[in-house]
Amino acid sequence: MESVEKGKVVIIGGGIMGLASAYYLLKSGWKVTLLDKGDMTNNCSFGNAGMIVPSHFIPLAAPGMISKGIKWMFDSHSPFYVKPSLDFSLISWGLKFMKSATASHVEHSAPFLRDYHLLSRQLYRDLAKEPGFNFGLETKGILMLYKTEKAGEEEIHVGRDAQKLGLNVDVLNKEQVQALEPNANLDVIGAVHYRCDAHLYPNALIPQLMEYVTKNGGEIKTNSEVTGFNIKGGEIKSVQTKAGNFEGDLVVMTGGTWLPQLSKLAGLTIPVMPGKGYSFMESNSEHEIIHPSLLIEARVAVTPMNGKVRFGGTMEIAPVNDKVNMNRVEGIVNSIPEYYSDLKTELPEVKDIWYGFRPCSPDGLPYLGYSKKLKNLIVAGGHGMMGISLGPATGKVVAELADRKSTSIKISVYDPQRYN
């Protein structure tokens, strides 16, 4: 790739945010070194639902989530769970979450999130046309399937709000939904069809981004856990890792659920709690599902991809752990035939269950922008369940920030030091 190098960038974190940042920084002429604490094979970007969701313009911190969370805490099969703990970071995060869960927060955040997702959707379309990229991008939208009148009323209300924001949304009755899914018998009373949404196969996207980075002069350093920073004069001079030190003119800190620990090493406070989710794959041949969907009451994502279908769900807010909670997985399995009545999904074996940790900020908004304390540090993290959806837009904005250009979207609400 012919370009004039502008300087060296060290990117911390090999998930979608780190890789997308590397992609756009390389295109802009920067020399890139990407560090990951593991081997890049099990980050949160691999096992997620692969959904591109302008429909998700409401942050996780929204009215009603606290009462639902309290109710669901007492059900081991529930879709949302906050594990009681005396852990200070969880208590602090919870208090901030409660403060943010207001109607005014949702109303203020919605246009920012809408524009962030729409930029990403367009960038995915552009990326899919690039040589070496074929990650199953489809623009069929996503069906929000509901079984009860109450859930339907709430979902239709959100759909009307989405229409006011200029998003392409249809409200469908039972017959209209069934017509879109002729191969599967749906036991629902209706759906909201977010035609503005799309989906892809993340297991193809991530390796293709990795290949692009290495083929275009970037370096990917695995098993390089960050242990500290050499800071002088308000700048990071080098990133210290277990595999050695890496100098850079600019540092981009992603890091997923490890963002609080990374930021602390740099003298910053960026609160994130891991939101554990599970997924598994099944055949999509006998009763083929055509459109991705969200099972509204059950909070389960259903995505056809790569000839199979991925079922995923749950949001378990708790410190990082490697335990597979089979009750949570069973909750996902049991919900599927309640919506797709002819699908008889078996409880998968532990070895076939993927789990990952979504980096959740207390107000449900990502962190994106320059640090006020360290002038050559850009933070890009805390995207929660929206990581794949917001990946390319994040990478593009990071490159624009690096070049000191105006950004394609407004990012003032994503200030990485809003809790300092």
Side-chain angles (χ1 to χ4, degrees), residues 101-239:
T102 65
S104 60
H105 172 62
V106 170
E107 185 178 356
H108 179 66
S109 304
F112 289 90
L113 286 173
R114 172 203 60 194
D115 293 348
Y116 202 166
H117 285 289
L118 288 175
L119 174 60
S120 240
R121 186 186 66 179
Q122 182 55 52
L123 293 172
Y124 270 126
R125 287 173 174 166
D126 297 342
L127 186 62
K129 297 173 187 173
E130 291 282 319
F133 285 96
N134 178 17
F135 44 86
L137 179 65
E138 296 192 58
T139 54
K140 297 175 180 177
I142 294 175
L143 295 169
M144 308 296 179
L145 300 174
Y146 49 82
K147 294 177 63 67
T148 62
E149 295 288 350
K150 184 177 185 296
E153 287 174 13
E154 291 177 358
E155 203 57 40
I156 291 168
H157 178 75
V158 173
R160 299 298 184 211
D161 287 344
Q163 290 172 334
K164 291 174 186 174
L165 285 167
L167 298 175
N168 187 357
V169 181
D170 287 336
V171 177
L172 308 177
N173 61 30
K174 178 180 175 66
E175 291 72 29
Q176 291 170 317
V177 182
Q178 188 63 74
L180 289 176
E181 291 291 342
N183 308 313
N185 187 30
L186 292 174
D187 185 7
V188 299
I189 64 171
V192 176
H193 187 191
Y194 283 86
R195 294 179 176 274
C196 53
D197 289 359
H199 73 286
L200 53 79
Y201 184 40
N203 303 62
L205 172 67
I206 300 301
Q208 287 165 17
L209 283 169
M210 290 171 64
E211 185 176 4
Y212 179 92
V213 170
T214 54
K215 279 189 173 180
N216 288 276
E219 286 186 297
I220 295 177
K221 301 288 188 181
T222 56
N223 302 309
S224 300
E225 182 176 349
V226 174
T227 56
F229 297 94
N230 178 19
I231 298 170
K232 288 183 181 177
E235 283 190 348
I236 297 175
K237 297 298 183 183
S238 66
V239 181

Side-chain angles (χ1 to χ4, degrees), residues 7 32 44 47 49 61 108 114 123 126 129 137 160 199 264 273 283 320 326 346 395 398:
V32 170
C44 198
H108 179 66
R114 172 203 60 194
L123 293 172
D126 297 342
K129 297 173 187 173
L137 179 65
R160 299 298 184 211
H199 73 286
K264 188 176 181 181
M273 282 300 295
S283 169
V320 170
M326 292 304 290
E346 299 291 328
V398 164

Side-chain angles (χ1 to χ4, degrees), residues 13-137:
I16 182 64
M17 298 307 158
L19 287 167
S21 296
Y23 174 85
Y24 287 99
L25 285 164
L26 284 167
K27 277 191 168 293
S28 188
W30 291 83
K31 186 173 177 59
V32 170
T33 300
L34 186 148
L35 311 175
D36 194 78
K37 71 193 294 287
D39 60 6
M40 306 279 287
T41 62
N42 195 34
N43 62 54
C44 198
S45 307
F46 269 104
N48 71 55
M51 293 178 170
I52 303 160
V53 282
S55 58
H56 285 38
F57 57 87
I58 297 177
L60 182 64
M65 279 306 294
I66 294 168
S67 58
K68 285 178 182 176
I70 292 170
K71 180 183 74 174
W72 283 332
M73 273 179 67
F74 300 99
D75 179 2
S76 62
H77 294 79
S78 67
F80 182 79
Y81 179 67
V82 179
K83 186 175 182 180
S85 170
L86 294 177
D87 181 88
F88 174 76
S89 60
L90 176 59
I91 295 169
S92 174
W93 185 95
L95 291 171
K96 292 180 177 69
F97 182 93
M98 291 170 67
K99 187 177 180 181
S100 297
T102 65
S104 60
H105 172 62
V106 170
E107 185 178 356
H108 179 66
S109 304
F112 289 90
L113 286 173
R114 172 203 60 194
D115 293 348
Y116 202 166
H117 285 289
L118 288 175
L119 174 60
S120 240
R121 186 186 66 179
Q122 182 55 52
L123 293 172
Y124 270 126
R125 287 173 174 166
D126 297 342
L127 186 62
K129 297 173 187 173
E130 291 282 319
F133 285 96
N134 178 17
F135 44 86
L137 179 65

Side-chain angles (χ1 to χ4, degrees), residues 321-378:
N321 65 85
D322 60 3
K323 183 178 182 293
V324 173
N325 187 329
M326 292 304 290
N327 283 342
R328 302 259 156 230
V329 180
E330 190 175 6
I332 297 172
V333 170
N334 291 345
S335 71
I336 295 164
E338 292 178 0
Y339 295 78
Y340 299 90
S341 58
D342 45 14
L343 288 187
K344 308 301 180 190
T345 306
E346 299 291 328
L347 187 67
E349 295 183 35
V350 172
K351 66 179 178 62
D352 297 321
I353 298 167
W354 177 93
Y355 64 87
F357 301 95
R358 311 176 189 95
C360 299
S361 69
D363 58 5
L365 298 177
Y367 300 106
L368 181 59
Y370 272 102
S371 162
K372 294 184 180 72
K373 185 176 180 180
L374 300 170
K375 57 189 175 183
N376 67 335
L377 173 65
I378 297 172

